[in-house]
Amino acid sequence: MSDLPVDNLLTVDQATALIDGLAVRPRQEVISLSSAARRRLAVAVNSPFDFPRFDRSLLDGFAIHFADVKPDATFPLTAAGAQTTGLAGQPPSTLAPGHAQQIMTGAPLPYSVVGDLCVVPVEQTQITAGRLVLTAAGALRPNSGIAKRASDFVAGREVLPAGTVLTPQSIAAIAACGHATLAVFKRPRIALVTTGNEVTAPGQALAPAAVYDASTAMLSALLTAMGCEVISATHAADEPAAHTGELRQAAAKADVLFITGGVSMGTHDFVPAALESLGFNLLIRKVRMRPGKPFVLGHREADGGAHVAVGLPGNPVSGLVCTTILAGRLLSRLAGGPADHLSVTRATLTAPTTVAGPRTYFQPAILSGSNVTPLDLASSADVFTLARANALILRPAGDGLRACGDPVTVFSLPE
C-alpha cells in the first residue's frame, strides 16, 4: 500500500477534534495533604470559617483604645509580665479604657469596653516606672496594627476550584482550612511498549547496527511531567505474534497504551494490525504535521484495561511532538484537566525561519521571555538539538519565510 498524498492526511485540527471527541472518565482518590504536590484537585475546597477567625494583632506591641491616644499619655499595663494574655493561642481578656496590654503577633485582640482598639508597635513605646509611654502616637489610626475578622477570607467562599493543580501555595491554603486529606484525580496509568529489533536499552552492549533507545526514557519523563504514572516499559520484537502478545499484556493493566515505532506502512510496521486484533478501532493513522506524520490513535470499549492506544513514530523528536500536541490533550482530560493543557504565547523571532512546507510544522525552539529562537533539526532523530528546546513554534502548513522580529505562536514544552 502506497503512502497517502498529503491532501488525504488528517489535518492537525481534524485529529484534535477526534481526540477531543473521545469520552473520558477521570478517576478520583483521596490522598494525604503531604503527598498532594502537583496533583489536580477533584473537589472544590471551601473556607470552613472566616480568616482570621478573630481580630488579631499584626505585630508585637501593645493594645490600647484609640480614644486614649493623646500627647504625653501613659498607660498602666494590664497583666504586665503575667504572660497569660496577649499571646498567640491564648483566649482574649477585656481591656479597660486608659489601660494597655502587651500583645504578640497573631494573638487575639482583647475585648474592647468602648470604641476601636489599635496596636502600638513595641518600637514606638517605652516602659517607665511600670507605665507605657507612646513615643510616636501621631502614626496611630483606629484599628492600626490589627487584622480584622474575615479580612482575609469569608466563611463559605471557594478557596480553590476543582481542577486546580496543587502548588506549595495552594497546599498552604488547604492546610489553613484544616484538611489533612483531599480528593484528587488519579494519574492516568501508562504502559509503554517499544518496538524494533535494532533498539537497545541504555547500559547494554551495542551491536554494530543497533541504536540506543532514547524514546522510552524521554517518554517516561515527559508523561510523568504531564501528570501520568508510567507503570511499565517493555519491548516487542519485530514479529506479528510478539507485537500482539506484548500489546495485549501491556494494555491489560493500563489506562492508555503507548507504543513507539512500528506505526507507519513498512513491511515490519505491525502495530496497527496488532491493535486492531485487540479490538481497537483506529481513528487516526496519519496526520498532516511534522515531525510526526505517522501517528496512530485507537479506541475500544473494554471491561478492563486500556480504552485508548497511542502509536508514535520511533524517532524521539516525532514522539515528543505527537505526545505533547496530540496525545497530551487526552491525557490532560483523563487527569481531570482541560484539553488545552499547554501554555501558549506570542513571541518574537530572534532569527529567520525557513519555509514550513505542506504540513503543519512544530519547530523546536528556545523560548526566553518574549523572544524565541528557532532550532534547525538535522532529522527527526536529532535528540541533541532537541535537548536545547523548551518550546515549539507553530508553523501553519504553507507558512513562508519568517524574518527576525516577526511574531509567532509558541507552545511551551512540559518541564
Side-chain angles (χ1 to χ4, degrees):
M1 181 177 178
S2 61
D3 201 358
L4 295 173
V6 69
D7 289 344
N8 292 333
L9 301 177
L10 287 177
T11 66
V12 172
D13 286 344
Q14 289 170 331
T16 295
L18 286 170
I19 293 168
D20 292 352
L22 289 177
V24 299
R25 294 180 289 274
R27 297 171 296 123
Q28 298 182 20
E29 62 181 338
V30 175
I31 63 172
S32 67
L33 189 60
S34 61
S35 59
R38 299 181 66 87
R39 300 299 297 272
R40 193 179 290 275
L41 196 61
V43 178
V45 174
N46 297 323
S47 172
F49 36 67
D50 293 332
F51 286 89
R53 293 192 295 129
F54 44 80
D55 295 352
R56 64 183 180 89
S57 178
L58 290 171
L59 44 89
D60 294 338
F62 297 87
I64 60 174
H65 286 86
F66 181 74
D68 293 335
V69 177
K70 299 178 179 61
D72 302 322
T74 66
F75 303 83
L77 288 173
T78 298
Q83 298 298 308
T84 57
T85 57
L87 297 178
Q90 294 290 331
S93 58
T94 299
L95 182 63
H99 286 67
Q101 178 188 291
Q102 188 174 11
I103 193 166
M104 305 301 173
T105 302
L109 265 293
Y111 298 119
S112 170
V113 174
V114 59
D116 293 322
L117 300 179
C118 62
V119 174
V120 188
V122 67
E123 298 85 356
Q124 297 176 12
T125 66
Q126 62 184 33
I127 305 295
T128 302
R131 296 181 68 86
L132 179 73
V133 179
L134 307 185
T135 59
L140 297 174
R141 299 288 183 271
N143 296 305
S144 61
I146 297 172
K148 301 294 287 183
R149 175 173 178 163
S151 58
D152 290 350
F153 224 76
V154 177
R157 180 180 167 191
E158 184 177 81
V159 177
L160 296 168
T164 299
V165 176
L166 296 172
T167 62
Q169 306 91 289
S170 56
I171 288 173
I174 296 172
C177 292
H179 298 294
T181 61
L182 65 163
V184 298
F185 289 107
K186 285 190 174 183
R187 295 186 179 101
R189 296 168 302 174
I190 309 297
L192 284 176
V193 178
T194 58
T195 67
N197 289 340
E198 78 284 5
V199 174
T200 302
Q204 302 299 311
L206 196 63
V211 296
Y212 280 125
D213 176 13
S215 291
T216 297
M218 178 201 70
L219 287 170
S220 294
L222 176 62
L223 291 166
T224 299
M226 295 169 70
C228 300
E229 179 186 5
V230 179
I231 61 173
S232 67
T234 55
H235 182 77
D238 281 342
E239 192 271 324
H243 272 55
T244 301
E246 191 59 56
L247 298 187
R248 177 183 290 109
Q249 291 184 47
K253 55 192 175 185
D255 298 316
V256 182
L257 173 64
F258 268 76
I259 313 103
T260 66
V263 298
S264 192
M265 306 182 75
T267 56
H268 282 69
D269 289 328
F270 303 126
V271 169
L275 289 176
E276 288 179 324
S277 72
L278 297 176
F280 287 96
N281 177 29
L282 301 189
L283 304 177
I284 301 174
R285 294 288 298 266
K286 291 181 182 293
V287 182
R288 196 187 305 175
M289 63 185 286
R290 74 178 178 105
K293 180 175 69 172
F295 172 82
V296 171
L297 183 84
H299 179 264
R300 69 177 180 179
E301 295 297 335
D303 293 333
H307 290 262
V308 178
V310 175
L312 303 172
N315 284 324
V317 181
S318 301
L320 180 139
V321 171
C322 288
T323 300
T324 302
I325 298 297
L326 297 176
R329 301 180 66 88
L330 178 72
L331 297 175
S332 181
R333 290 196 296 131
L334 275 172
D340 292 322
H341 64 110
L342 295 175
S343 174
V344 185
T345 188
R346 294 285 284 177
T348 301
L349 286 171
T350 63
T353 67
T354 58
V355 174
R359 290 180 280 155
T360 302
Y361 181 23
F362 294 95
Q363 184 170 6
I366 301 170
L367 178 65
S368 178
S370 60
N371 295 321
V372 64
T373 302
L375 298 173
D376 293 323
L377 297 171
S379 70
S380 58
D382 183 4
V383 294
F384 306 101
T385 299
L386 181 67
R388 300 165 53 202
N390 64 357
L392 300 171
I393 300 173
L394 172 61
R395 306 287 309 285
D399 194 34
L401 297 171
R402 294 294 188 101
C404 180
D406 282 355
V408 289
T409 298
V410 180
F411 296 94
S412 294
L413 289 172
E415 297 181 353

